[in-house]
Amino acid sequence: MNSKSSGRFLSLIVAVAMLFAFAGCGKSAKQKIIGKWAFEGDKNFIYNFTESGELITTRKDLPEKKEKYRFIDNETLEVEMKDEKMKMKISFADNDNTINTENESKTKHKLIRQ
């Protein structure tokens, strides 16, 4: 192999290694959701998603509420409330998430602490 071919081969190896490294950096929705999220426009309304599948909702003027959640797939979240289960579509962009409920309401949240 001449030096020109060696250089291209080395560049190809580095490019493939970087591709695998970046591909491994992506977090699943299950990992991204963990933390405290503030309801857009109301920092007093906080959703805390725990690693154990518990959703703790707090609001300054209301008692704390605990529910269970799980991911059905990488974009569908199911929350188990007192008398029902609600499925929602969730998407992430940097430190924001958007949740679309079954009844077509859309809410946005900002990550405040992981």
Side-chain angles (χ1 to χ4, degrees), residues 21-28 31-32:
F22 286 126
C25 290
K27 290 182 176 180
S28 69
Q31 295 166 314
K32 290 178 184 178

Side-chain angles (χ1 to χ4, degrees), residues 37-97:
W37 297 84
F39 188 71
E40 185 178 76
D42 186 355
K43 295 272 187 202
N44 294 315
F45 199 177
I46 307 294
Y47 296 101
N48 183 10
F49 289 88
T50 68
E51 288 184 48
S52 65
E54 190 171 50
L55 169 58
I56 304 164
T57 307
T58 55
R59 195 167 137 186
K60 195 165 112 177
D61 55 339
L62 296 173
E64 183 177 272
K65 193 170 165 186
K66 293 183 179 183
E67 299 162 327
K68 292 285 184 188
Y69 79 92
R70 72 181 184 99
F71 276 91
I72 295 172
D73 57 41
N74 211 36
E75 61 181 32
T76 308
L77 179 68
E78 181 180 74
V79 177
E80 189 176 324
M81 296 176 232
K82 196 179 228 178
D83 299 324
E84 67 177 305
K85 290 182 181 179
M86 181 182 271
K87 290 181 183 166
M88 306 166 217
K89 293 291 183 185
I90 188 164
S91 61
F92 296 91
D94 296 321
N95 287 331
D96 298 325
N97 78 40

